[in-house]
Structure formats: structure tokens, C-alpha cells
Amino acid sequence: MHENRETSASTGREERSSPAGEGRSRTARMNDVEESDRSVVPMSHPNKAEQSAAEVGEERGRTKENTSQSHTLSTQGEVGVSQGLQGVRQAARERKRERFTALLHHVNVDLLRESFYALKRKAAPGVDGVTWCEYETGLEDRLIDLHSRVHRGAYRAQPSRRVYIPKADGRQRPLGIASLEDKIVQQAVVTILNAIYEVDFKGFSYGFRPGRSPHQALDALNVGICRKRVNWILDADIRGFFDNMSHEWTEKFVQHRVADPRIHRLIHKWLKAGVSEEGEWAETKVGTPQGAVITPRTQKVTSS
């Protein structure tokens, strides 16, 4: 299938000469032989002595979510991975410095439909006032129109509706509720990004990842502490992380693996859409709205 292929203009010499940690630049060549069709020599894996104590303590390598993804939807919150995205996942696993230049074509009507049904049905509406049930009426025509706008560049991100929820310490946490169409497109892009970054994350990484939870992280810590010699435990948190994320650096981190300018434009639109509070629009120069579908993924890419 043509959509399974990600084009790369890089050569073996370029890969050997690239500095560690930097992605190789790639040029899209839609009619050339696709790089993902070629055989790739697997990268060598570290031996057990080089693995971290946390990963070994779990008595497993990468979790199942790191190596495979179901094609079907088992719950409302899951989005299936198409055959084309499986090709992206395989290329990302085999070529750790690959920068993907052609990704937006994976945002098709089928993925938008799956993304819509992955959303919470009773979630509060954004500034558009459209609920999940209302959007489901005439869904196919709506998705066809949304798909056309995304690929023509006519799609416009709407500001997030700002609400506040109380915290345990008495303060209030600001949340940003995106419009329904923004949530759909964001969920679709998250599915694409997951195909790339899920194979990059370490086995002991649990935050904001599909199929993982804080309870699993605690279980892994319990195993590591009980079965390994532990001299100290570090507990750290970054105050107001979401509220102070640099837009510039967030986009730069994404560019290490994603070189599709159309995906970059979508992320840029969401970062710069601003917030609406009591009908007043405010510009957002830093930070990402907590509660947005895309926020956990960009946060995870930045922190990793």
C-alpha cells in the first residue's frame, strides 16, 4: 500500500555521520522507491548489564504496548492502529534517527471516525457549544468536511474554554476544554505520534501512555524496591509544568522525529489558539491547556 511508505532521502553514510540524538533530515519523494520497503538491519540492543535497575526490576523489557498495538477498538478510549501506521511504527523502531516527512495522509476519514468514538460522550462542550451526541448526527458528512478542511489547510483551531477545578491544597487548577472538532483532530494526531514515540519510550516510563496507569508504575516500583538493593528514592515534581511549557521548545522537540510541516502547523495552531474565559479571548504565549487531548503527548515528548 502506498500509504504505508515513509520517504527518506538520507543515505547510509549520512546515518553514520549524524550526531547522536539528532534526527536525519529527509526530503519527501512521493514517486521514488520508499525507504520503508527496504530491508533494515536491526539496531543492537543493550545487554542486561546496561539496563537500568528499574527495567530489570520489572522482570520484563518493553511492555506489550511498546511492541504491538491492537487493530480493533476494545474500549471507548482506544483508537485502532491502521496498517499504514503499523508501517510507521516499524520504521520508527528500526531507525531511531528517522524523521518522518509524510504523516498527514494517515489522517483519513476512518481515523477521524475512530478518534470521534474514542472521545468521552458526556464531556463538557468547548467554545463551539457542540456536544458529542449533537455531532454524531450526520457524522459521516461532518467528518468528510473536516477531513477536507484539514488537508486543504482550511481547518482553524478554536480557543479552549477556560474552567477551574479545586485542588486538594485549596488552589484552583485551570483546565482548557477544546471544541469537539479540535478534539477529533487532536486525537487523530495523537494516534500518529503514538506510533512513533511509543517505540522510543523506555519500559519504566508510565506517564500519559496508552494502556498504562499510575498503579502499574507503583507495582513496578514495589518490585524494584523489594528485589533490588535501593539506597535512596528521589521524588520530584515540576511546579506548573503545563502552564509554563515553551511553545518554541515544544515544537523543536517534536521536530526531532516529525518533519512533516503540516503536522507542525496543526500543533502550532493548537498552541496559539488561546483561551476563552467568560467570553473574553486571551493569547497564550507559553503553556498548553490542561485537559486537551494533544497536551499529554506533547508533554511526554518534551519530558522524555
Side-chain angles (χ1 to χ4, degrees):
M1 295 176 62
H2 179 72
E3 68 174 8
N4 289 1
R5 306 167 181 173
E6 302 302 325
T7 314
S8 173
S10 58
T11 63
R13 179 177 300 176
E14 289 174 341
E15 181 175 1
R16 288 191 295 270
S17 61
S18 297
E22 292 186 6
R24 292 180 284 126
S25 61
R26 306 171 61 219
T27 304
R29 299 175 297 166
M30 298 305 295
N31 297 322
D32 289 358
V33 177
E34 304 295 336
E35 174 132 0
S36 59
D37 291 347
R38 303 200 314 247
S39 60
V40 178
V41 178
M43 296 183 62
S44 60
H45 297 283
N47 56 40
K48 290 184 178 180
E50 296 172 330
Q51 290 180 342
S52 68
E55 265 188 298
V56 177
E58 296 178 39
E59 294 190 338
R60 58 182 171 81
R62 295 180 181 274
T63 60
K64 185 175 181 181
E65 289 79 16
N66 287 10
T67 56
S68 64
Q69 185 84 15
S70 172
H71 288 270
T72 59
L73 302 179
S74 58
T75 65
Q76 180 183 346
E78 294 182 8
V79 177
V81 177
S82 67
Q83 186 177 356
L85 287 181
Q86 287 288 5
V88 173
R89 180 186 291 267
Q90 180 178 354
R93 181 185 298 114
E94 295 174 345
R95 300 189 287 276
K96 296 299 184 181
R97 296 180 182 177
E98 193 81 353
R99 299 181 67 226
F100 294 87
T101 61
L103 291 173
L104 190 67
H105 65 278
H106 292 292
V107 181
N108 51 37
V109 175
D110 290 337
L111 180 57
L112 292 174
R113 185 186 307 108
E114 292 179 0
S115 300
F116 170 75
Y117 283 109
L119 301 177
K120 295 181 179 179
R121 289 159 168 75
K122 296 183 179 180
V127 294
D128 57 349
V130 179
T131 65
W132 190 94
C133 292
E134 291 172 346
Y135 199 87
E136 191 182 25
T137 303
L139 178 64
E140 291 304 311
D141 290 337
R142 293 178 185 268
L143 293 180
I144 291 173
D145 175 66
L146 177 60
H147 172 267
S148 174
R149 282 184 279 126
V150 168
H151 285 267
R152 287 187 290 110
Y155 162 79
R156 296 290 182 268
Q158 299 190 56
S160 298
R161 183 167 66 89
R162 174 66 57 83
V163 297
Y164 295 89
I165 59 173
K167 299 177 63 175
D169 59 5
R171 295 182 299 168
Q172 289 188 320
R173 180 190 301 276
L175 291 182
I177 303 177
S179 67
L180 192 64
E181 285 197 335
D182 287 341
K183 290 180 182 178
I184 296 172
V185 183
Q186 287 180 12
Q187 179 63 62
V189 172
V190 164
T191 303
I192 296 171
L193 296 181
N194 278 343
I196 299 173
Y197 290 106
E198 275 300 301
V199 301
D200 288 347
F201 295 151
K202 299 295 184 180
F204 50 73
S205 176
Y206 286 86
F208 301 111
R209 294 181 61 185
R212 296 197 171 205
S213 69
H215 290 92
Q216 291 176 332
L218 291 174
D219 290 342
L221 284 174
N222 180 64
V223 172
I225 293 172
C226 293
R227 301 186 184 182
K228 296 292 177 181
R229 180 176 296 177
V230 178
N231 295 322
W232 50 269
I233 296 175
L234 175 64
D235 181 16
D237 190 16
I238 301 177
R239 180 182 299 173
F241 178 79
F242 283 101
D243 298 331
N244 296 284
M245 282 179 61
S246 166
H247 293 174
E248 179 183 2
W249 280 105
T250 299
E251 295 184 59
K252 284 184 177 180
F253 274 109
V254 174
Q255 290 170 11
H256 278 288
R257 284 292 248 166
V258 178
D260 190 335
R262 299 169 299 176
I263 296 294
H264 293 165
R265 282 195 291 270
L266 286 174
I267 295 176
H268 184 78
K269 287 179 180 180
W270 294 324
L271 289 174
K272 299 299 183 181
V275 297
S276 177
E277 186 173 355
E278 296 182 354
E280 295 291 331
W281 179 84
E283 181 183 8
T284 51
K285 296 182 179 180
V286 295
T288 61
Q290 297 186 53
V293 176
I294 196 68
T295 294
R297 176 52 54 189
T298 56
Q299 184 268 352
K300 188 63 183 176
V301 171
T302 306
S303 62
S304 297

